[in-house]
Amino acid sequence: MQGVILLGIGVLLAACAQGGTPGAGGSAPEYRKITPEEAKTVMDGQEPFVLVDVRTKEEYDGGHIPGALLLPDADIERLAPDMLPDKEAKILLYCRSGRRSELAARKLLEMGYTQVLDFGGILDWKYGIE
């Protein structure tokens, strides 16, 4: 009997060490970098998504991917709650070269957004801009 009790305690301790009870929420979403080709596949698919350009207004006005919302990386924390109210939405981010989009993606993840995909810079985008 004592062995069964010790075995039960061991199983409980192991479960706690591995993150608690099953289905208890798991870890926060991680940063994900995808290629421009993968982003294009998402855009051409049937699932809804939000396309976000995190460059400055001047850069955006100089040419952007059709359908992109302008949300400069410097304003993410202030503007995202209003511009991106659904934290479960699939969000595709880009900037000029990829540095700002990575920073913006990480900020959004910290803010609780769950499906943030960074596809780098418009410099690597070969599917047309407006």
Side-chain angles (χ1 to χ4, degrees), residues 76-90:
I76 289 277
E77 292 164 323
R78 183 172 57 84
L79 298 177
D82 290 329
M83 292 183 70
L84 305 170
D86 182 1
K87 290 191 174 188
E88 304 297 318
K90 184 173 286 189

PDB file of all heavy atoms in Angstrom, residues 76-90:
ATOM      1  N   ILE A  76       2.819  50.564 -31.817  1.00  0.00           N
ATOM      2  CA  ILE A  76       2.128  49.272 -31.634  1.00  0.00           C
ATOM      3  C   ILE A  76       1.386  49.207 -30.301  1.00  0.00           C
ATOM      4  O   ILE A  76       0.202  48.896 -30.267  1.00  0.00           O
ATOM      5  CB  ILE A  76       3.133  48.096 -31.733  1.00  0.00           C
ATOM      6  CG1 ILE A  76       3.600  47.924 -33.169  1.00  0.00           C
ATOM      7  CG2 ILE A  76       2.568  46.804 -31.181  1.00  0.00           C
ATOM      8  CD1 ILE A  76       2.689  47.133 -34.047  1.00  0.00           C
ATOM      9  N   GLU A  77       2.081  49.463 -29.221  1.00  0.00           N
ATOM     10  CA  GLU A  77       1.460  49.292 -27.901  1.00  0.00           C
ATOM     11  C   GLU A  77       0.283  50.245 -27.696  1.00  0.00           C
ATOM     12  O   GLU A  77      -0.706  49.878 -27.075  1.00  0.00           O
ATOM     13  CB  GLU A  77       2.506  49.478 -26.799  1.00  0.00           C
ATOM     14  CG  GLU A  77       3.518  48.346 -26.812  1.00  0.00           C
ATOM     15  CD  GLU A  77       4.774  48.636 -26.032  1.00  0.00           C
ATOM     16  OE1 GLU A  77       5.243  49.800 -26.045  1.00  0.00           O
ATOM     17  OE2 GLU A  77       5.295  47.695 -25.420  1.00  0.00           O
ATOM     18  N   ARG A  78       0.358  51.420 -28.269  1.00  0.00           N
ATOM     19  CA  ARG A  78      -0.712  52.409 -28.099  1.00  0.00           C
ATOM     20  C   ARG A  78      -1.899  52.146 -29.028  1.00  0.00           C
ATOM     21  O   ARG A  78      -3.054  52.258 -28.621  1.00  0.00           O
ATOM     22  CB  ARG A  78      -0.141  53.807 -28.352  1.00  0.00           C
ATOM     23  CG  ARG A  78      -1.139  54.940 -28.147  1.00  0.00           C
ATOM     24  CD  ARG A  78      -0.471  56.306 -28.229  1.00  0.00           C
ATOM     25  NE  ARG A  78       0.225  56.553 -29.472  1.00  0.00           N
ATOM     26  CZ  ARG A  78      -0.355  57.007 -30.590  1.00  0.00           C
ATOM     27  NH1 ARG A  78      -1.652  57.244 -30.611  1.00  0.00           N
ATOM     28  NH2 ARG A  78       0.356  57.228 -31.677  1.00  0.00           N
ATOM     29  N   LEU A  79      -1.630  51.773 -30.289  1.00  0.00           N
ATOM     30  CA  LEU A  79      -2.699  51.678 -31.290  1.00  0.00           C
ATOM     31  C   LEU A  79      -3.253  50.267 -31.515  1.00  0.00           C
ATOM     32  O   LEU A  79      -4.379  50.117 -31.980  1.00  0.00           O
ATOM     33  CB  LEU A  79      -2.211  52.242 -32.628  1.00  0.00           C
ATOM     34  CG  LEU A  79      -1.830  53.719 -32.632  1.00  0.00           C
ATOM     35  CD1 LEU A  79      -1.304  54.122 -33.999  1.00  0.00           C
ATOM     36  CD2 LEU A  79      -3.002  54.590 -32.222  1.00  0.00           C
ATOM     37  N   ALA A  80      -2.475  49.250 -31.237  1.00  0.00           N
ATOM     38  CA  ALA A  80      -2.913  47.880 -31.534  1.00  0.00           C
ATOM     39  C   ALA A  80      -4.243  47.500 -30.887  1.00  0.00           C
ATOM     40  O   ALA A  80      -5.078  46.873 -31.545  1.00  0.00           O
ATOM     41  CB  ALA A  80      -1.827  46.877 -31.158  1.00  0.00           C
ATOM     42  N   PRO A  81      -4.495  47.852 -29.616  1.00  0.00           N
ATOM     43  CA  PRO A  81      -5.779  47.444 -29.030  1.00  0.00           C
ATOM     44  C   PRO A  81      -6.992  47.922 -29.826  1.00  0.00           C
ATOM     45  O   PRO A  81      -7.979  47.193 -29.940  1.00  0.00           O
ATOM     46  CB  PRO A  81      -5.742  48.065 -27.627  1.00  0.00           C
ATOM     47  CG  PRO A  81      -4.283  48.120 -27.296  1.00  0.00           C
ATOM     48  CD  PRO A  81      -3.618  48.482 -28.615  1.00  0.00           C
ATOM     49  N   ASP A  82      -6.918  49.118 -30.412  1.00  0.00           N
ATOM     50  CA  ASP A  82      -8.042  49.621 -31.213  1.00  0.00           C
ATOM     51  C   ASP A  82      -8.012  49.110 -32.649  1.00  0.00           C
ATOM     52  O   ASP A  82      -9.044  48.759 -33.208  1.00  0.00           O
ATOM     53  CB  ASP A  82      -8.049  51.155 -31.230  1.00  0.00           C
ATOM     54  CG  ASP A  82      -8.436  51.736 -29.876  1.00  0.00           C
ATOM     55  OD1 ASP A  82      -9.217  51.095 -29.146  1.00  0.00           O
ATOM     56  OD2 ASP A  82      -7.944  52.829 -29.546  1.00  0.00           O
ATOM     57  N   MET A  83      -6.824  49.051 -33.244  1.00  0.00           N
ATOM     58  CA  MET A  83      -6.722  48.638 -34.645  1.00  0.00           C
ATOM     59  C   MET A  83      -6.795  47.128 -34.827  1.00  0.00           C
ATOM     60  O   MET A  83      -7.213  46.655 -35.884  1.00  0.00           O
ATOM     61  CB  MET A  83      -5.426  49.175 -35.253  1.00  0.00           C
ATOM     62  CG  MET A  83      -5.416  50.695 -35.395  1.00  0.00           C
ATOM     63  SD  MET A  83      -3.920  51.291 -36.203  1.00  0.00           S
ATOM     64  CE  MET A  83      -4.160  50.701 -37.874  1.00  0.00           C
ATOM     65  N   LEU A  84      -6.368  46.393 -33.815  1.00  0.00           N
ATOM     66  CA  LEU A  84      -6.357  44.931 -33.869  1.00  0.00           C
ATOM     67  C   LEU A  84      -7.076  44.389 -32.631  1.00  0.00           C
ATOM     68  O   LEU A  84      -6.454  43.815 -31.736  1.00  0.00           O
ATOM     69  CB  LEU A  84      -4.918  44.414 -33.912  1.00  0.00           C
ATOM     70  CG  LEU A  84      -4.020  44.956 -35.029  1.00  0.00           C
ATOM     71  CD1 LEU A  84      -2.569  44.560 -34.796  1.00  0.00           C
ATOM     72  CD2 LEU A  84      -4.514  44.471 -36.378  1.00  0.00           C
ATOM     73  N   PRO A  85      -8.397  44.558 -32.572  1.00  0.00           N
ATOM     74  CA  PRO A  85      -9.119  44.182 -31.354  1.00  0.00           C
ATOM     75  C   PRO A  85      -9.181  42.675 -31.087  1.00  0.00           C
ATOM     76  O   PRO A  85      -9.302  42.262 -29.934  1.00  0.00           O
ATOM     77  CB  PRO A  85     -10.515  44.757 -31.568  1.00  0.00           C
ATOM     78  CG  PRO A  85     -10.660  44.863 -33.053  1.00  0.00           C
ATOM     79  CD  PRO A  85      -9.285  45.142 -33.574  1.00  0.00           C
ATOM     80  N   ASP A  86      -9.081  41.848 -32.132  1.00  0.00           N
ATOM     81  CA  ASP A  86      -9.172  40.392 -31.969  1.00  0.00           C
ATOM     82  C   ASP A  86      -7.782  39.803 -31.750  1.00  0.00           C
ATOM     83  O   ASP A  86      -7.008  39.647 -32.696  1.00  0.00           O
ATOM     84  CB  ASP A  86      -9.834  39.777 -33.202  1.00  0.00           C
ATOM     85  CG  ASP A  86     -10.013  38.269 -33.094  1.00  0.00           C
ATOM     86  OD1 ASP A  86      -9.643  37.675 -32.055  1.00  0.00           O
ATOM     87  OD2 ASP A  86     -10.527  37.682 -34.064  1.00  0.00           O
ATOM     88  N   LYS A  87      -7.480  39.438 -30.529  1.00  0.00           N
ATOM     89  CA  LYS A  87      -6.155  38.904 -30.210  1.00  0.00           C
ATOM     90  C   LYS A  87      -5.945  37.490 -30.745  1.00  0.00           C
ATOM     91  O   LYS A  87      -4.842  36.982 -30.712  1.00  0.00           O
ATOM     92  CB  LYS A  87      -5.911  38.951 -28.702  1.00  0.00           C
ATOM     93  CG  LYS A  87      -5.743  40.378 -28.215  1.00  0.00           C
ATOM     94  CD  LYS A  87      -5.240  40.444 -26.810  1.00  0.00           C
ATOM     95  CE  LYS A  87      -4.962  41.887 -26.441  1.00  0.00           C
ATOM     96  NZ  LYS A  87      -4.296  42.003 -25.159  1.00  0.00           N
ATOM     97  N   GLU A  88      -7.005  36.865 -31.257  1.00  0.00           N
ATOM     98  CA  GLU A  88      -6.898  35.523 -31.844  1.00  0.00           C
ATOM     99  C   GLU A  88      -6.766  35.571 -33.368  1.00  0.00           C
ATOM    100  O   GLU A  88      -6.577  34.533 -34.007  1.00  0.00           O
ATOM    101  CB  GLU A  88      -8.134  34.684 -31.475  1.00  0.00           C
ATOM    102  CG  GLU A  88      -8.388  34.560 -29.977  1.00  0.00           C
ATOM    103  CD  GLU A  88      -7.267  33.842 -29.247  1.00  0.00           C
ATOM    104  OE1 GLU A  88      -6.772  32.826 -29.775  1.00  0.00           O
ATOM    105  OE2 GLU A  88      -6.879  34.289 -28.159  1.00  0.00           O
ATOM    106  N   ALA A  89      -6.869  36.752 -33.959  1.00  0.00           N
ATOM    107  CA  ALA A  89      -6.793  36.890 -35.423  1.00  0.00           C
ATOM    108  C   ALA A  89      -5.392  36.542 -35.920  1.00  0.00           C
ATOM    109  O   ALA A  89      -4.397  36.767 -35.226  1.00  0.00           O
ATOM    110  CB  ALA A  89      -7.149  38.316 -35.824  1.00  0.00           C
ATOM    111  N   LYS A  90      -5.331  36.024 -37.134  1.00  0.00           N
ATOM    112  CA  LYS A  90      -4.040  35.775 -37.779  1.00  0.00           C
ATOM    113  C   LYS A  90      -3.527  37.110 -38.306  1.00  0.00           C
ATOM    114  O   LYS A  90      -4.191  37.775 -39.088  1.00  0.00           O
ATOM    115  CB  LYS A  90      -4.189  34.776 -38.920  1.00  0.00           C
ATOM    116  CG  LYS A  90      -2.853  34.412 -39.555  1.00  0.00           C
ATOM    117  CD  LYS A  90      -3.023  33.300 -40.561  1.00  0.00           C
ATOM    118  CE  LYS A  90      -3.240  32.011 -39.806  1.00  0.00           C
ATOM    119  NZ  LYS A  90      -3.216  30.831 -40.653  1.00  0.00           N
TER     120      LYS A  90
END
